[in-house]
């Protein structure tokens, strides 16, 4: 792999580093990434941390003052000042790549920068790079753990403003990932480090086919084509297996049918919701490591016969498969054990509407009393934007309900 200083660990391997790294004249690899925060303290951790020599100093952009958990500050006042710098840097990175496929955007829904600035950036990216894919990994407000009081406001506003600008948004919720760490990895008090390592495994599986060879490679365009039946319904659930501690790993078989079955269990999902209450519209199963197509097909056939896994009636096939030869690796010092094969499932299910209705309910409780609204209005927002965003999410909930409606509904097709 690539060392923390950017040098190549084993130059003989056939892995393609150039997908995510740019090679300098001296043979050093520099990631094609841009870090942004409206306050300096978080990115200073990277500037002084073990990976400080890996990243290009110019690709770490910080502002002077924080968005203070306020969508309006990130989107209108402070975010506007940094936007051009960020877009210029992103444009340079895209020009340095021979044929950029798309963008990965990592942000939170609850914070001011993560919600306000991220949606502003997505608007600009969809103007400048209209044909490129934008895959979005968003940390979604968890049902129980909350880091800010105004999370529901920020989340509803950012979902509304980025609805037309993001192609696929993978939601990850801290409660669900904390539970996975507690139950599967036996970490009673997990830190953000463990949470991030789990999310990194998912991202690694999603991008494995860009970096390694495989029997069935999955392109970034294919996620969108297979997972998004209608442009607004673009919020897939993420599940990963095996998440297992080193102590237990030796006692497991990690066979393809077992791993596939684990993916459909609610306690392995990264958003708190029960998929058994909804119906699946599409599933993408990304296998890595020592797997063959025959095992995968028989595992999928077994899944189709289960009563708890229901597909909408207008999507008979439902499964898209990716097979990659490179097995998963773990970060040194990680509590997760390495396995010979692993699978990541991205599924578009109507059950995720639970998460949206939970969020809308919290929004309504606060907005009915107009609590905290003056902070947003003071930064140049109008109160009408709140009700407009809330109506948009009510429409999203209705769209999900329509997906499961039985019978021949001819009106639904008129729009497309």
């Amino acid at each position: 792999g690539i060392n923390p200083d950017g040098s190549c660990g084993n130059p003989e391997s056939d892995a393609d580093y150039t997908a995510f790294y740019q090679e300098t004249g001296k043979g050093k690899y520099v990631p094609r990434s841009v870090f942004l925060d409206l306050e300096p303290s978080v990115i200073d951790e990277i500037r002084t941390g073990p990976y400080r020599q890996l990243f290009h100093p110019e690709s770490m952009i910080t502002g002077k003052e924080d968005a203070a958990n306020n969508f309006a500050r990130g989107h209108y006042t402070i975010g506007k000042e940094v936007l051009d710098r960020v877009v210029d840097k992103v444009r340079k990175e895209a020009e340095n790549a021979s044929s950029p496929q798309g963008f990965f955007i990592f942000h939170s829904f609850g914070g001011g920068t993560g919600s306000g600035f991220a949606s502003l950036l997505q608007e600009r990216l969809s103007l400048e790079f209209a044909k490129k894919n934008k895959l979005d990994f968003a940390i979604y407000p968890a049902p129980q753990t909350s880091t800010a009081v105004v999370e529901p406001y920020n989340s509803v506003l950012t979902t509304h403003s980025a609805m037309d600008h993001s192609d696929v948004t993978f939601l990850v919720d801290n409660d669900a990932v904390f539970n996975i760490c507690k139950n599967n990895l036996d970490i009673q008090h997990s830190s953000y480090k463990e949470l991030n390592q789990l999310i990194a495994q998912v991202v690694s599986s999603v991008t494995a086919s860009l970096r390694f060879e495989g029997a069935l490679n999955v392109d970034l365009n294919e996620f969108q084509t297979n997972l998004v039946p209608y442009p607004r319904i673009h919020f897939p659930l993420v599940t990963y297996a095996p998440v297992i501690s080193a102590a237990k790993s030796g006692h497991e078989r990690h066979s393809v049918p077992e791993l596939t079955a684990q993916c459909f269990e609610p306690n392995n999902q990264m958003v708190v919701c029960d998929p058994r209450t909804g119906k699946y519209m599409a599933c993408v199963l990304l296998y890595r490591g020592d797997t063959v197509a025959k095992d995968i097909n028989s595992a999928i056939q077994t899944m189709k016969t289960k009563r708890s896994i229901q597909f909408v009636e207008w999507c008979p096939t439902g499964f898209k498969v990716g097979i990659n030869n490179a097995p998963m690796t773990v970060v040194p010092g990680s509590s997760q054990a390495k396995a010979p094969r692993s699978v990541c499932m991205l599924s578009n299910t109507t059950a995720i509407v639970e998460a949206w209705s939970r969020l809308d309910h919290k929004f309504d409780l606060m907005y009915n009393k107009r609590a905290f609204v003056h902070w947003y209005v003071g930064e140049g927002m109008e109160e009408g934007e709140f009700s407009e965003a809330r109506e948009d999410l009510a429409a999203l909930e209705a769209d999900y309900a329509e997906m499961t409606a039985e019978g021949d509904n001819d009106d639904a097709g008129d729009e497309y």
Side-chain angles (χ1 to χ4, degrees):
I2 291 174
N3 299 326
D5 62 350
S7 60
C8 185
N10 47 342
E12 282 76 45
S13 79
D14 60 347
D16 183 11
Y17 296 132
T18 54
F20 285 94
Y21 292 85
Q22 195 178 326
E23 195 173 357
T24 63
K26 290 183 175 176
K28 185 182 165 181
Y29 287 94
V30 182
R32 304 179 191 275
S33 63
V34 178
F35 289 86
L36 168 104
D37 198 0
L38 296 180
E39 53 143 1
S41 60
V42 182
I43 291 183
D44 284 347
E45 296 273 319
I46 304 173
R47 291 183 177 130
T48 56
Y51 291 96
R52 60 185 179 278
Q53 294 174 315
L54 180 62
F55 297 104
H56 195 303
E58 271 179 23
S59 68
M60 294 189 250
I61 301 172
T62 46
K64 295 284 187 292
E65 55 173 332
D66 195 3
N69 287 119
N70 186 331
F71 173 88
R73 281 169 75 93
H75 196 85
Y76 296 102
T77 41
I78 299 172
K80 283 267 194 297
E81 298 164 13
V82 217
L83 182 66
D84 289 330
R85 269 173 69 197
V86 177
V87 174
D88 281 346
K89 183 65 190 153
V90 171
R91 197 185 297 115
K92 270 185 200 157
E93 288 290 346
E95 283 165 5
N96 285 340
S98 52
S99 62
Q101 273 202 12
F103 301 96
F104 280 96
I105 302 165
F106 299 89
H107 64 107
S108 71
F109 267 6
T113 311
S115 62
F117 187 82
S119 56
L120 183 64
L121 182 62
Q122 282 169 301
E123 282 171 33
R124 274 294 288 274
L125 287 179
S126 64
L127 280 175
E128 303 223 357
F129 304 94
K131 287 278 180 279
K132 300 277 178 257
N133 290 327
K134 284 164 281 299
L135 301 187
D136 192 5
F137 279 85
I139 306 295
Y140 179 88
Q144 305 297 326
T145 355
S146 163
T147 54
V149 179
V150 287
E151 272 181 359
Y153 282 168
N154 293 338
S155 307
V156 168
L157 291 165
T158 189
T159 307
H160 166 62
S161 58
M163 183 70 83
D164 302 331
H165 304 295
S166 166
D167 297 324
V168 187
T169 302
F170 301 106
L171 299 179
V172 176
D173 126 11
N174 278 347
D175 267 7
V177 189
F178 271 126
N179 287 337
I180 292 175
C181 284
K182 189 172 149 195
N183 302 335
N184 299 11
L185 294 178
D186 303 326
I187 309 171
Q188 286 308 313
H189 307 289
S190 43
S191 65
Y192 283 134
K193 182 183 159 199
E194 278 94 16
L195 271 64
N196 287 338
Q197 285 176 352
L198 263 179
I199 297 166
Q201 283 294 352
V202 172
V203 182
S204 169
S205 291
V206 168
T207 59
S209 61
L210 306 176
R211 297 175 290 133
F212 306 106
E213 300 200 338
L216 246 181
N217 270 348
V218 179
D219 203 293
L220 286 191
N221 303 328
E222 292 178 39
F223 287 122
Q224 209 176 323
T225 315
N226 290 286
L227 275 175
V228 184
Y230 301 103
R232 285 169 62 87
I233 310 264
H234 62 246
F235 299 98
L237 258 183
V238 178
T239 324
Y240 188 82
V243 179
I244 195 162
S245 63
K248 292 183 196 165
S249 180
H251 304 278
E252 297 278 342
R253 266 181 62 199
H254 300 311
S255 67
V256 172
E258 275 175 21
L259 294 181
T260 312
Q262 278 177 31
C263 279
F264 285 92
E265 286 172 16
N267 53 358
N268 287 334
Q269 284 169 192
M270 302 214 172
V271 171
V272 178
C273 73
D274 190 355
R276 293 167 296 201
T277 58
K279 292 186 175 180
Y280 287 96
M281 290 170 272
C283 282
V284 174
L285 287 162
L286 304 168
Y287 291 88
R288 292 185 68 170
D290 176 22
T291 52
V292 288
K294 179 177 161 290
D295 294 350
I296 293 171
N297 291 339
S298 64
I300 288 175
Q301 289 309 330
T302 315
M303 287 296 121
K304 281 184 178 174
T305 59
K306 291 201 175 176
R307 288 294 301 275
S308 58
I309 299 165
Q310 295 223 315
F311 274 80
V312 286
E313 57 183 29
W314 45 264
C315 189
T317 45
F319 285 94
K320 156 93 184 140
V321 176
I323 306 173
N324 202 282
N325 303 339
M328 66 176 275
T329 56
V330 288
V331 184
S334 160
S335 45
Q336 195 179 346
K338 200 173 166 182
R341 60 191 72 81
S342 64
V343 56
C344 171
M345 180 172 91
L346 314 168
S347 57
N348 202 343
T349 163
T350 59
I352 208 161
V353 77
E354 266 181 55
W356 293 119
S357 45
R358 249 195 333 253
L359 186 67
D360 290 345
H361 175 62
K362 289 180 184 172
F363 179 95
D364 292 342
L365 290 176
M366 282 162 58
Y367 191 62
N368 287 342
K369 292 275 185 248
R370 298 292 186 274
F372 305 104
V373 169
H374 66 282
W375 294 113
Y376 292 79
V377 176
E379 295 287 346
M381 260 180 80
E382 291 173 14
E383 210 173 290
E385 284 185 56
F386 278 91
S387 35
E388 189 186 317
R390 179 64 184 85
E391 280 162 23
D392 193 17
L393 278 188
L396 182 69
E397 282 190 55
D399 291 345
Y400 271 104
E402 209 173 280
M403 293 295 115
T404 51
E406 300 292 331
D408 300 327
N409 187 353
D410 293 336
D411 317 341
D414 291 352
E415 198 180 329
Y416 302 102

